[in-house]
Amino acid sequence: MANTTLTASIVAKAAVAILENELNMAGSVHRGYEEEFDKKVNGYEVGDTITIRKPTDFTVRTNITASAQDVKEAKLTMTANKIAGVDFQFTSQQLTLNIGQLSERVIRPAMIQIANQIDRDVFALYKDIPQWVGTPGGAMDTFKKFSAGARNFDIRSVPNDGGRNIALSPSDFWDIAGAQTALFNPALVEKAFKSGKVGMVAGLDTFMAQNVPTHTVGPLGGTPLVNGASQNTAYDTTGVNTQTLVTDGWTAAAAQRVNVGDVFTIAGVFDVNPVTKVALPILKQFVVASGSTLNSDGSGNLTLTIAPQIVTSGAFQNCSAAPADNAAITFVGTANT
């Protein structure tokens, strides 16, 4: 019987199947827009950028008088700007192997490398997220510590429709697995004790990932304060969702003070329920956004670029009030750790 020579198409299909199986964090994110990049508009390829509509929002009137609201449909762009590849050559002899042999010996090791790079790229997006729970540097070794993330989802009205996931570093994963062995739940204890499986905990599908990043807080220094009242903005329909925040009170020396991804709160600025707009009993968290100035000047002044915007009224309100002049700014974590 003649050998079947493998073609590029056969190899590519096998590679994609293996890659899908090896993805960890990237396999848990919403991927509803990936097919948009394959579409054609009037015969033309979409290219590397698509536009996504953000949900609109409204306020509720509580009287009999109608009051028409403007419908604001914001948008953001998604750009396919990351590339990950592994290059190698096949010999003519290797191309006569069956696809199973080639997959195990050559394709799978290459796809594992690419999958890990994709996961690292996804994890790197944490710097854009203004949310932090727990104690920086602390072990996640109790259910109370673990469930802080789920509690944060509930407080902020994140849908609990089966799509909640949590990726833990190996040390945190085994800490929470060890905590489960002390529970009076034979089935759960057996999985945790025998195979280290954690499964669904507090409504979160839990898995371990070696690529979970560790954040280092900036050098900080001084007593940072808001410099100037009423630094709130109107909702930006272009999807930027960042603004500048003028601050002072840093150590009076020209030096780096913050890192991108540092999370902080502002005294007197509370979070609100995203649906009802009722103020929550927790301070709003902000993050130092990409592109921000990181260094203070010689007088201790620093204009940060932060996310999200501070919106204090209307359908897209996300803060209870604008920062007051000289309101204290408190960063999560300890400097340089």
Side-chain angles (χ1 to χ4, degrees):
M1 181 181 294
N3 290 331
T4 300
T5 301
L6 299 177
T7 65
S9 177
I10 295 174
V11 172
K13 288 179 180 179
V16 169
I18 295 171
L19 178 62
E20 289 269 5
N21 190 56
E22 294 294 335
L23 290 175
N24 198 334
M25 183 61 184
S28 301
V29 301
H30 178 66
R31 297 168 60 184
Y33 294 100
E34 61 185 12
E35 293 182 359
E36 296 291 326
F37 291 98
D38 293 330
K39 291 183 177 179
K40 290 186 177 182
V41 179
N42 296 326
Y44 294 95
E45 298 287 347
V46 170
D48 61 0
T49 301
I50 62 172
T51 300
I52 301 172
R53 285 193 183 95
K54 297 177 68 176
T56 189
D57 208 345
F58 300 95
T59 56
V60 177
R61 61 177 170 84
T62 56
N63 55 53
I64 199 170
T65 304
S67 178
Q69 302 177 51
D70 293 331
V71 178
K72 294 183 179 180
E73 287 191 307
K75 62 182 180 180
L76 54 84
T77 58
M78 177 185 291
T79 303
N81 58 358
K82 296 289 186 179
I83 297 175
V86 173
D87 304 311
F88 50 82
Q89 293 180 324
F90 292 118
T91 66
S92 57
Q93 181 181 11
Q94 287 172 324
L95 288 175
T96 62
L97 297 172
N98 66 56
I99 191 63
Q101 292 174 314
L102 191 64
S103 294
E104 187 63 28
R105 291 166 52 182
V106 180
I107 300 176
R108 186 171 183 272
M111 291 302 103
I112 289 174
Q113 294 294 330
I114 293 177
N116 274 269
Q117 181 60 53
I118 294 173
D119 277 344
R120 286 196 295 270
D121 288 340
V122 174
F123 275 122
L125 297 175
Y126 85 89
K127 293 183 178 181
D128 298 328
I129 301 174
Q131 297 293 334
W132 186 285
V133 295
T135 303
M140 192 178 295
D141 52 4
T142 67
F143 179 79
K144 182 177 181 180
K145 294 177 182 178
F146 179 91
S147 63
R151 182 171 64 249
N152 193 45
F153 283 155
D154 291 337
I155 290 173
R156 290 175 170 80
S157 301
V158 175
N160 190 3
D161 53 5
R164 295 183 179 184
N165 299 277
I166 182 169
L168 300 178
S169 67
S171 57
D172 283 338
F173 181 88
W174 288 108
D175 279 342
I176 196 64
Q180 287 186 346
T181 62
L183 300 176
F184 186 71
N185 185 325
L188 194 63
V189 169
E190 183 178 14
K191 287 197 302 181
F193 190 79
K194 287 187 175 181
S195 60
K197 293 181 179 178
V198 175
M200 188 71 71
V201 181
L204 302 172
D205 193 5
T206 307
F207 60 93
M208 177 175 61
Q210 285 82 1
N211 294 317
V212 173
T214 299
H215 181 73
T216 300
V217 179
L220 305 181
T223 306
L225 305 169
V226 173
N227 184 7
S230 303
Q231 294 193 54
N232 54 306
T233 64
Y235 180 65
D236 186 354
T237 58
T238 66
V240 174
N241 200 29
T242 60
Q243 69 164 81
T244 57
L245 181 70
V246 182
T247 69
D248 59 10
W250 301 90
T251 301
Q256 182 176 346
R257 300 299 170 197
V258 296
N259 287 331
V260 172
D262 285 354
V263 175
F264 64 92
T265 58
I266 304 173
V269 180
F270 289 86
D271 208 343
V272 300
N273 183 293
V275 178
T276 65
K277 316 305 178 188
V278 174
L280 300 172
I282 50 178
L283 292 173
K284 182 73 175 179
Q285 291 186 324
F286 301 92
V287 66
V288 178
S290 299
S292 176
T293 301
L294 306 179
N295 293 25
S296 66
D297 64 18
S299 300
N301 301 306
L302 172 56
T303 299
L304 297 168
T305 300
I306 67 169
Q309 297 172 270
I310 302 173
V311 181
T312 58
S313 62
F316 298 94
Q317 178 183 353
N318 64 356
C319 294
S320 63
D325 185 30
N326 289 325
I329 298 173
T330 303
F331 281 80
V332 176
T334 304
N336 294 315
T337 60

